[in-house]
Amino acid sequence: MKLKKALNNNVVLAKTDTHQEVVVFGSGISFKLKPGDPIDESKISKVFTLQTRDISMKLANLLKEVPVEYVEIAQDIISYASNKMNVSISDYTILTLTDHIYFAIKRYQQGEQIRNVLLWEAKKFYKTEFEIGLKALEIVKGKTGIAFDEDEAGFIALHLVNTQVEGNEIDKTIKITNIVQDILGIIKYHFKMDFDEDSWNYGRLVTHLKFFAQRIIAKDRIDNEEDDLFNQVNHKYPEAFECVKRIETYVLNGYGTQITHAEMVYLVLHIARVTSRNKY
């Protein structure tokens, strides 16, 4: 195995003898090495074999911001989930789940608690994934000492759902796609920006919008229990909030549905994130 690129002292991109690109972890593994040098395999603690170079590079970019410990947590969760469900989980999930866990822990440390408005749905419709989410909380606590509540188990469950499930009803799928595209258009127009469609922030926004669109079509209404957080995000993210007010008008006029404060809170948070971190 030879070094391709050192990301830091403990993480490198490497090529195997069969020319497969891998991400390799180990204490001091890149010390004094240059591209093309052989890697001391006795220093290797973990190897991530990813399907495509694109995923490898995204993971490399993510590791510039996120400590490797969070990747290891995500990998442990994915390994457990894959065995539990007996399915192959997309490599892309390691990116989205690592990113999610990292920011969930940051929010926890800053005292920001976010209620999962899809918790009931996760428990009712995705029982296996939710059980895995609960196991994931045990893994996170074992690694970090942080004890999340069930809301976080629901968020992790929905990450796993998104790796497997796509709607099979063509009419419903078309409607959902139209709603998602319309809302993306509103965001794009409001912020006068183009999305980086390869970024995981964009991917997470689209995932949220798919669930949001499903609720619009089904006329499901999320209970309005986020007034305090609603006022906080209104103050903290005024541009994203103004954008959500446009989305509210679109949904009301087009589908006769009033968006609750709880729905608006999560739209604001996703939009604020993708418009501030869209350059990955």
Side-chain angles (χ1 to χ4, degrees):
M1 188 181 296
K2 294 183 178 180
L3 176 71
K4 181 177 180 182
K5 181 180 181 181
L7 303 176
N8 57 43
N9 285 337
N10 304 314
V11 187
V12 301
L13 285 177
K15 278 198 172 181
T16 66
D17 294 339
T18 58
H19 303 288
Q20 185 172 23
E21 193 166 276
V22 294
V23 180
V24 182
F25 302 89
S27 180
I29 196 166
S30 68
F31 184 62
K32 290 186 176 180
L33 292 185
K34 301 185 297 295
D37 286 348
I39 291 172
D40 182 351
E41 297 194 8
S42 68
K43 291 185 176 182
I44 295 175
S45 61
K46 187 161 292 196
V47 177
F48 288 110
T49 303
L50 303 173
Q51 294 172 357
T52 67
R53 184 176 185 275
D54 177 59
I55 298 294
S56 296
M57 292 308 298
K58 280 187 169 66
L59 180 58
N61 286 332
L62 181 63
L63 286 168
K64 293 176 182 177
E65 178 179 355
V66 177
V68 65
E69 290 80 7
Y70 294 95
V71 183
E72 294 173 345
I73 291 170
Q75 181 61 37
D76 287 347
I77 294 169
I78 290 169
S79 295
Y80 177 83
S82 182
N83 291 330
K84 178 79 172 178
M85 297 187 294
N86 195 28
V87 297
S88 178
I89 296 176
S90 165
D91 279 343
Y92 192 73
T93 306
I94 195 170
L95 303 178
T96 59
L97 191 56
T98 298
D99 188 57
H100 172 79
I101 291 169
Y102 174 62
F103 279 94
I105 288 174
K106 283 188 70 174
R107 286 195 303 271
Y108 180 92
Q109 292 170 337
Q110 294 167 2
E112 297 178 12
Q113 301 252 341
I114 295 182
R115 189 176 69 90
N116 187 345
V117 298
L118 298 176
L119 181 59
W120 182 86
E121 294 165 273
K123 285 182 173 181
K124 182 175 179 62
F125 297 115
Y126 308 115
K127 292 181 180 179
T128 300
E129 288 85 354
F130 184 72
E131 288 175 6
I132 294 168
L134 292 174
K135 177 64 177 180
L137 300 194
E138 294 179 18
I139 293 171
V140 171
K141 185 177 181 181
K143 296 279 189 178
T144 69
I146 290 174
F148 286 116
D149 57 22
E150 285 189 341
D151 289 297
E152 186 57 34
F155 284 128
I156 291 171
L158 293 174
H159 272 280
L160 298 174
V161 170
N162 192 50
T163 68
Q164 308 166 66
V165 179
E166 290 293 339
N168 293 321
E169 302 171 38
I170 187 65
D171 290 342
K172 182 178 178 182
T173 301
I174 290 171
K175 289 179 181 178
I176 290 171
T177 301
N178 288 338
I179 292 171
V180 170
Q181 291 300 323
D182 287 346
I183 293 176
L184 289 174
I186 291 169
I187 299 168
K188 186 175 179 180
Y189 176 80
H190 181 83
F191 285 93
K192 297 179 173 59
M193 59 169 281
D194 291 322
F195 294 114
D196 177 1
E197 296 186 3
D198 293 325
S199 72
W200 46 88
N201 290 319
Y202 176 82
R204 290 186 65 193
L205 171 63
V206 170
T207 297
H208 181 80
L209 291 180
K210 286 179 181 178
F211 286 114
F212 178 60
Q214 287 173 9
R215 292 195 296 279
I216 291 172
I217 292 169
K219 301 294 184 183
D220 287 340
R221 185 174 173 84
I222 300 299
D223 290 338
N224 204 11
E225 299 175 358
E226 292 287 358
D227 285 341
D228 289 342
L229 190 55
F230 174 81
N231 292 329
Q232 290 178 35
V233 299
N234 183 2
H235 177 73
K236 189 172 183 179
Y237 307 110
E239 272 299 309
F241 183 79
E242 284 301 315
C243 182
V244 169
K245 295 294 288 182
R246 291 187 174 190
I247 295 170
E248 179 185 39
T249 300
Y250 160 78
V251 172
L252 183 60
N253 292 341
Y255 298 91
T257 299
Q258 181 70 51
I259 303 177
T260 65
H261 285 184
E263 294 276 19
M264 294 177 75
V265 162
Y266 287 91
L267 284 170
V268 168
L269 291 173
H270 276 286
I271 291 169
R273 194 170 186 206
V274 79
T275 53
S276 64
R277 296 180 64 224
N278 67 312
K279 295 183 179 179
Y280 286 149

